[in-house]
Amino acid sequence: MKKLTEFMEEALSQAFVSRGYDGALGRVSLSNRPDLCEYQCNGAMAGAKQYHKAPFMIAEDVADALKDCDVFEKAEAVRPGFINLTVNPDFLAGYLADLADDDMLSVNRPEKSRRVIIDYGGPNVAKPLHVGHLRSAVIGESLKRILRFMGDEVIGDVHLGDWGLQMGLIITELKHRKPDLVYFCDNFEGEYPDEAPFTISELEEIYPAASARSKEDEEYKKEALEATHRLQEGHPGYMALWNHILNVSVADLKRNYENLNVSFDLWKKESDAQPYIPDMIERMKAEGFAHEDQGALVVDVREDSDTKEIPPCILLKSDGASLYSTTDLATIVERMKLYDPDEMLYVVDKRQELHFIQVFRCARKTGLVKEDTRLSFLGFGTVNGKDGHALKTREGGVMRLEYLIKDINDEMFRKIVENRSVKDREAGETAKMVGLSALKYGDLSNQASKDYIFDIDRFTSFEGNTGPYILYTIVRIKSILSRYAENGGRLEGLAMKAPSSEAEKALMLQLTGFGSMVEDAYKERAPHRICSFIYETANAFNRFYHETRILDEENSEKKESLIRLLQVTRKELETGIDLLGFAAPEKM
Ligand code: ARG
């Protein structure tokens, strides 16, 4: 459906044309003097030069032509040459009625749907999720939802890190601890056991132990590298262990992501790309892209326009081992072969930007992707503690995501019990839902590329620009609507009437912005746009709510129109939080 601003711009363009001016001057923007008017057009200012006329005269001309236009209640020329616009309340009511009936809430999808693979999450097998993984999961999930809402076919891939040294380290440590396990017996011929020889908690203890030891003990490190190498060559016992590690980890990861309301369509892994490596490298060599440099095999990716040094992309180390870049390139080969997407979008820590510049350039230069396949990198900033440094546990260790979620939920639980009389069991469930909003909104309301401070007190507050404030507003609306229904009010087929207060009109105008906001969030890959919009909507609603009698309204037509307005507000807020990846409880 058409946007309200399109109606305004059409009216303005016509007015310009009818007085002999260029219709392109009829652009409309939100007023920067909301005390004087709602929207404004600066076209007369822009046209002054072209028509050798004082801008104010043009503005007067155009305002005069708008006298009978049903879109505006008032179009006024003001010095030096602005056109101040106030929307006609009846027109606005009609527009809101259409908006209320529109499933897409005035969002227009692009004509062509695209197929996009989003690479997010990026956890590493056998290592617990830490706060660094939070942003990739939360931002990626939201982008997946935004792109789908806009009609794209999205394939979300977790791209598990399962193939590096961490595997060799775990295998080595296991070998030291339990040398008698069949997996280490070189001439074992039977079936390996189905049961893993460790639990997830053991695994999570084994990895850091192995990693620490490898840093001090050269011999041990060598062993781990050797184990990694043998695994990658397909040693049957190691492969069986790797399988166990994978299964135990994936089960745990799934549980964690579920708690975050984050999901993936594909659980592909770095190891899945390995079969594509040999051919890829042969081709890069044969076609002259790859050459040797100090024993390593590299592809130059420098470009003349570079302002900083971009080192070559390394395909193979001097010992023949493949690297992170090799795996990412082979994954691109695999994705092209299996899915042929229009775009691959990587949601990864911005400190990995150089890696992706190298990989993307190499993929493009060597023809791994088609000319019009888009490769994009959305790099996000760091989650910091209140001291401005990367968030750590009290003891100074890496903050596990699980503990972070628990801290937020505990604080939310405390606030909810303090505030309300909800029964305890319900309060636990509610605290989880509201806690998730606190966590995700706290993250997504920041521009992704910026670092932010993880502030539990602020994130869990019911006031201010927070998830709980948004949910609180939705719950308030839901409860008015259900009280209205309990009293026999009808919810279907309600007509919308012109606003009768300034706050009501302001809410209506705010709601008309949903469509262009979502389209912008889509174009810019920017969930934070949704946050600011729903925050403003919640503010506009609460202002309206505090000065309006809704259920006590005596005029039944007016009351029904207010209910209709509540329904649209609710739908926009609920759609907004759904795009962010969380939901509102019934009560709070
Ligand atoms: N596992 C990686 C890490 O923890 C992130 C993976 C990102 N995706 C990719 N295709 N490289 O740093």
Side-chain angles (χ1 to χ4, degrees):
M1 79 181 263
K2 257 207 270 195
K3 311 269 190 299
L4 183 66
T5 46
E6 286 175 73
F7 280 107
M8 293 194 257
E9 292 191 335
E10 275 171 23
L12 257 304
S13 289
Q14 271 175 23
F16 271 97
V17 170
S18 75
R19 299 296 162 114
Y21 306 108
D22 182 358
L25 296 170
R27 305 223 21 167
V28 171
S29 55
L30 266 182
S31 160
N32 46 29
R33 284 291 304 274
D35 51 324
L36 297 181
C37 61
E38 293 154 354
Y39 294 87
Q40 67 186 58
C41 170
N42 305 341
M45 303 287 289
K49 248 208 184 122
Q50 196 178 336
Y51 296 103
H52 305 291
K53 239 187 190 177
F56 185 68
M57 282 171 70
I58 303 179
E60 270 193 317
D61 243 4
V62 175
D64 185 60
L66 286 168
K67 257 198 331 247
D68 297 319
C69 168
D70 65 349
V71 180
F72 301 110
E73 180 181 52
K74 208 161 89 186
E76 197 182 12
V78 294
R79 292 196 187 273
F82 299 114
I83 305 167
N84 285 355
L85 302 164
T86 305
V87 178
N88 175 353
D90 287 314
F91 186 85
L92 182 59
Y95 184 83
L96 254 281
D98 291 344
L99 181 67
D101 288 335
D102 182 17
D103 285 337
M104 292 297 289
L105 292 163
S106 81
V107 173
N108 293 325
R109 291 179 162 176
E111 245 156 67
K112 232 178 113 267
S113 146
R114 306 167 74 242
R115 175 180 291 174
V116 183
I117 295 184
I118 307 186
D119 182 313
Y120 63 108
N124 299 308
V125 157
K127 296 190 203 168
L129 287 176
H130 59 79
V131 51
H133 292 115
L134 173 72
R135 299 208 73 187
S136 182
V138 169
I139 298 169
E141 175 71 25
S142 175
L143 289 175
K144 178 180 81 183
R145 289 164 181 245
I146 295 171
L147 268 63
R148 281 202 181 138
F149 191 73
M150 292 301 290
D152 283 341
E153 180 196 340
V154 185
I155 305 172
D157 181 8
V158 71
H159 196 72
L160 220 52
D162 70 333
W163 207 234
L165 179 61
Q166 83 248 31
M167 291 298 169
L169 284 167
I170 294 170
I171 292 171
T172 303
E173 182 61 23
L174 266 176
K175 194 169 177 178
H176 280 248
R177 291 185 187 191
K178 305 179 181 176
D180 299 333
L181 287 175
V182 288
Y183 308 93
F184 303 117
C185 172
D186 278 332
N187 40 26
F188 179 74
E189 303 245 306
E191 290 268 315
Y192 291 110
D194 289 335
E195 191 81 13
F198 40 71
T199 62
I200 184 70
S201 352
E202 283 172 280
L203 210 51
E204 288 182 349
E205 181 264 319
I206 289 174
Y207 173 75
S211 166
R213 180 156 173 202
S214 74
K215 286 184 188 120
E216 283 153 15
D217 184 338
E218 263 311 305
E219 206 41 48
Y220 186 89
K221 172 93 184 271
K222 253 206 218 136
E223 242 181 273
L225 283 168
E226 174 65 19
T228 314
H229 202 70
R230 290 182 80 184
L231 168 71
Q232 296 184 344
E233 281 174 348
H235 179 284
Y238 290 6
M239 287 296 284
L241 271 179
W242 166 78
N243 236 316
H244 285 312
I245 300 172
L246 201 63
N247 289 336
V248 170
S249 288
V250 166
D252 184 61
L253 285 171
K254 286 197 169 153
R255 185 180 57 79
N256 274 291
Y257 282 125
E258 209 168 293
N259 283 333
L260 276 177
N261 200 9
V262 167
S263 67
F264 303 92
D265 306 293
L266 297 178
W267 280 79
K268 299 286 278 182
K269 331 178 266 305
E270 289 179 354
S271 62
D272 290 320
Q274 301 310 306
Y276 297 88
I277 292 179
D279 278 359
M280 177 182 85
I281 290 194
E282 274 323 300
R283 211 175 51 77
M284 287 184 184
K285 276 201 223 158
E287 290 174 8
F289 294 117
H291 64 90
E292 257 184 51
D293 184 358
Q294 298 166 35
L297 189 68
V298 307
V299 174
D300 286 324
V301 291
R302 238 181 317 109
E303 282 172 12
D304 289 340
S305 56
D306 288 344
T307 51
K308 60 173 189 206
E309 168 87 14
I310 306 289
C313 186
I314 306 179
L315 299 179
L316 296 176
K317 288 200 294 187
S318 47
D319 63 0
S322 61
L323 292 108
Y324 189 42
S325 37
T326 329
T327 299
D328 264 327
L329 287 165
T331 302
I332 291 178
V333 174
E334 184 191 24
R335 286 177 178 162
M336 288 307 289
K337 179 162 182 253
L338 301 182
Y339 308 104
D340 188 15
D342 297 297
E343 177 175 356
M344 297 176 216
L345 167 62
Y346 295 78
V347 185
V348 185
D349 192 314
K350 71 179 176 199
R351 286 170 290 193
Q352 294 192 24
E353 183 171 14
L354 179 59
H355 162 78
F356 282 98
I357 292 179
Q358 293 171 305
V359 167
F360 291 174
R361 284 187 182 181
C362 180
R364 210 162 275 298
K365 180 173 180 182
T366 61
L368 299 187
V369 292
K370 297 188 199 155
E371 224 156 89
D372 57 358
T373 312
R374 205 167 132 191
L375 296 169
S376 34
F377 173 67
L378 195 144
F380 52 78
T382 310
V383 185
N384 288 329
K386 278 189 180 165
D387 59 358
H389 295 292
L391 194 66
K392 293 256 153 57
T393 58
R394 238 172 252 135
E395 294 72 37
V398 178
M399 179 60 112
R400 288 180 60 159
L401 192 51
E402 237 176 319
Y403 300 154
L404 202 75
I405 296 177
K406 191 177 174 309
D407 285 353
I408 265 214
N409 287 350
D410 289 350
E411 179 59 18
M412 221 54 255
F413 184 79
R414 202 183 59 72
K415 286 196 174 142
I416 282 175
V417 171
E418 202 172 77
N419 261 11
R420 317 263 115 210
S421 53
V422 195
K423 281 202 210 75
D424 257 18
R425 209 181 43 122
E426 266 178 57
E429 279 308 301
T430 309
K432 260 200 213 158
M433 279 185 101
V434 186
L436 191 63
S437 81
L439 185 77
K440 288 193 162 184
Y441 193 95
D443 188 304
L444 294 169
S445 53
N446 300 282
Q447 207 175 311
S449 61
K450 300 234 164 89
D451 300 347
Y452 73 87
I453 290 176
F454 194 88
D455 182 344
I456 289 199
D457 289 335
R458 191 169 75 73
F459 289 3
T460 58
S461 168
F462 289 109
E463 278 150 40
N465 190 7
T466 70
Y469 169 67
I470 306 289
L471 295 196
Y472 193 75
T473 307
I474 295 176
V475 168
R476 169 174 277 166
I477 299 175
K478 286 204 220 184
S479 105
I480 303 172
L481 290 174
S482 54
R483 264 187 292 146
Y484 168 80
E486 279 161 23
N487 294 335
R490 66 183 183 124
L491 290 162
E492 304 288 326
L494 307 179
M496 187 80 82
K497 300 191 72 73
S500 39
S501 72
E502 199 260 308
E504 187 182 350
K505 191 176 186 194
L507 174 60
M508 287 175 139
L509 286 174
Q510 167 66 20
L511 295 173
T512 65
F514 189 80
S516 29
M517 177 279 293
V518 174
E519 290 165 26
D520 286 346
Y522 171 73
K523 275 183 232 132
E524 296 165 21
R525 309 281 161 79
H528 75 273
R529 289 230 170 218
I530 298 180
C531 295
S532 15
F533 181 87
I534 59 178
Y535 177 52
E536 283 164 23
T537 304
N539 285 339
F541 172 77
N542 285 313
R543 193 158 75 82
F544 155 81
Y545 169 79
H546 285 301
E547 45 178 78
T548 314
R549 293 148 62 106
I550 301 172
L551 294 175
D552 294 338
E553 170 60 53
E554 277 157 19
N555 178 328
S556 66
E557 274 183 28
K558 179 69 205 170
K559 184 165 162 181
E560 288 190 351
S561 169
L562 293 173
I563 294 295
R564 191 80 182 118
L565 184 57
L566 257 61
Q567 290 173 329
V568 190
T569 311
R570 171 185 175 173
K571 197 161 137 199
E572 288 194 4
L573 288 175
E574 286 190 326
T575 307
I577 61 172
D578 185 56
L579 293 177
L580 296 175
F582 55 89
E586 286 309 312
K587 288 200 200 111
M588 285 166 67

